[in-house]
């Protein structure tokens, strides 16, 4: 598979020493130490609503893990409004939906990036039945197979308040991070998003507060570990 060129907003790749990149690295470290009892190999990212930065956060965290010489896969499970193909500037004609609908083999949907140790599986064409595809045995089997091939799997999913897709995927992952826009999200919405994840017994690792106002930066990311 040919290597693809990465464009903005992958700041962790463009400027690994910037304050925002350092925040992503801090998030990576907190993920690593968030659970000492079991291995966290498949981490899901979601948000409460559209536009809170969960796809950008997932992509940059994937890059941050790849920079530690681990074999990393970024899996775009947002089958309704996918973003990762824009972030990585890759064609989305073939992807996860192609595999789940038996139209492509796994080898056909794996894409190597120009970033060492990082591969991506894009969402593929938007299907008429996203929830059913994600809940399928073929999806479960895929994740099990990918766990054997990669050190870390980062999963991008739709906003939790919009559709049930994220709840479905959460049951198949080792942990979940909830990305919230600190400037716009309301407390009650954030609590409802958390409750939806708890309803399916998702392992909530913490919350990423996005776009916090900081001196000399336009956006900032901080991680709050789950203290329950």
């Amino acid at each position: 598979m040919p290597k693809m060129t990465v464009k903005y907003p992958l700041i962790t790749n463009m400027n690994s020493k910037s304050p925002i990149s350092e925040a992503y690295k801090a998030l990576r470290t907190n993920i690593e130490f968030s659970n000492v009892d079991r291995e966290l190999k498949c981490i899901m990212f979601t948000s409460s609503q559209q536009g809170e930065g969960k796809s950008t956060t997932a992509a940059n965290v994937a890059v941050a893990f790849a920079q530690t010489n681990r074999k990393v896969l970024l899996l775009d499970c947002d089958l309704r409004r996918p973003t990762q193909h824009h972030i990585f500037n890759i064609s989305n004609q073939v992807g996860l939906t192609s595999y789940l609908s038996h139209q492509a083999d796994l080898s056909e949907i794996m894409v190597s990036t120009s970033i060492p140790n990082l591969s991506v599986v894009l969402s593929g064409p938007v299907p008429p039945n996203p929830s059913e595809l994600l809940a399928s045995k073929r999806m479960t089997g895929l994740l099990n197979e990918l766990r054997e091939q990669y050190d870390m799997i980062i999963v991008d999913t739709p906003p939790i308040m919009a559709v049930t897709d994220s709840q479905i995927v959460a049951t198949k992952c080792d942990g979940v991070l909830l990305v919230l826009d600190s400037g716009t999200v309301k407390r009650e919405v954030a609590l409802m998003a958390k409750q939806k994840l708890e309803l399916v017994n998702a392992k909530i690792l913490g919350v990423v507060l996005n776009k916090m106002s900081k001196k000399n930066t336009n956006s900032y990311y901080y991680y709050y570990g789950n203290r329950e």
Side-chain angles (χ1 to χ4, degrees), residues 18 26 34 36 64 66 68 91 117 121-122 126 129 161 170 173 175 184-185 192 198 203 211 213 220 222:
S18 72
S34 61
V36 297
T68 62
S91 170
N117 306 312
V121 170
L122 300 175
V126 176
N129 56 339
M161 299 297 292
C173 295
T184 61
V185 67
M192 288 177 64
E198 291 174 335
K203 173 64 177 178
K211 301 179 184 177
S213 176
Y220 185 75
Y222 194 79

Side-chain angles (χ1 to χ4, degrees), residues 82-101:
T83 302
Q84 296 300 337
H85 63 290
H86 293 304
I87 294 176
F88 285 86
N89 192 33
I90 304 172
S91 170
N92 197 33
Q93 291 184 348
V94 178
L96 179 60
T97 58
S98 308
Y99 176 82
L100 295 179
S101 59

Side-chain angles (χ1 to χ4, degrees), residues 9-149:
L10 286 177
I11 192 169
T12 45
N13 184 57
M14 294 177 60
N15 185 359
S16 63
K17 297 183 182 298
S18 72
I20 296 176
S21 295
E22 291 299 328
Y24 281 125
K25 293 176 184 178
L27 174 55
R28 176 193 67 200
T29 300
N30 280 307
I31 292 173
E32 292 176 317
F33 290 97
S34 61
N35 195 328
V36 297
D37 295 326
R38 66 188 181 114
E39 184 180 29
L40 296 176
K41 200 167 189 178
C42 184
I43 307 298
M44 186 188 102
F45 283 76
T46 188
S47 59
S48 64
Q49 303 169 107
Q50 195 71 31
E52 295 190 272
K54 50 95 180 168
S55 295
T56 301
T57 302
N60 279 281
V61 169
V63 173
F65 271 108
Q67 290 171 341
T68 62
N69 292 320
R70 273 173 279 195
K71 191 176 180 183
V72 181
L73 176 72
L74 176 60
L75 178 61
D76 194 348
C77 288
D78 190 338
L79 307 186
R80 299 172 189 266
R81 297 185 64 178
T83 302
Q84 296 300 337
H85 63 290
H86 293 304
I87 294 176
F88 285 86
N89 192 33
I90 304 172
S91 170
N92 197 33
Q93 291 184 348
V94 178
L96 179 60
T97 58
S98 308
Y99 176 82
L100 295 179
S101 59
H102 299 270
Q103 297 179 32
D105 295 328
L106 180 56
S107 61
E108 296 178 88
I109 65 173
M110 305 293 296
V111 181
S112 298
T113 72
S114 60
I115 299 172
N117 306 312
L118 179 62
S119 298
V120 297
V121 170
L122 300 175
S123 64
V126 176
N129 56 339
S131 297
E132 289 78 5
L133 288 177
L134 293 172
S136 67
K137 291 182 180 179
R138 189 166 172 84
M139 179 66 187
T140 301
L142 172 62
L143 286 176
N144 289 337
E145 184 173 351
L146 293 174
R147 287 173 187 271
E148 298 295 323
Q149 298 182 26

Side-chain angles (χ1 to χ4, degrees), residues 184-204:
T184 61
V185 67
K186 295 182 179 180
R187 176 181 172 83
E188 56 269 26
V189 174
L191 289 174
M192 288 177 64
K194 180 173 179 285
Q195 290 170 358
K196 280 182 171 289
L197 290 168
E198 291 174 335
L199 188 64
V200 295
N201 296 316
K203 173 64 177 178
I204 304 175

Side-chain angles (χ1 to χ4, degrees), residues 155-174:
V155 183
D156 183 13
T157 63
I160 192 75
M161 299 297 292
V163 290
T164 62
D165 300 14
S166 295
Q167 288 176 293
I168 293 170
V169 177
T171 65
K172 304 175 187 290
C173 295
D174 301 326

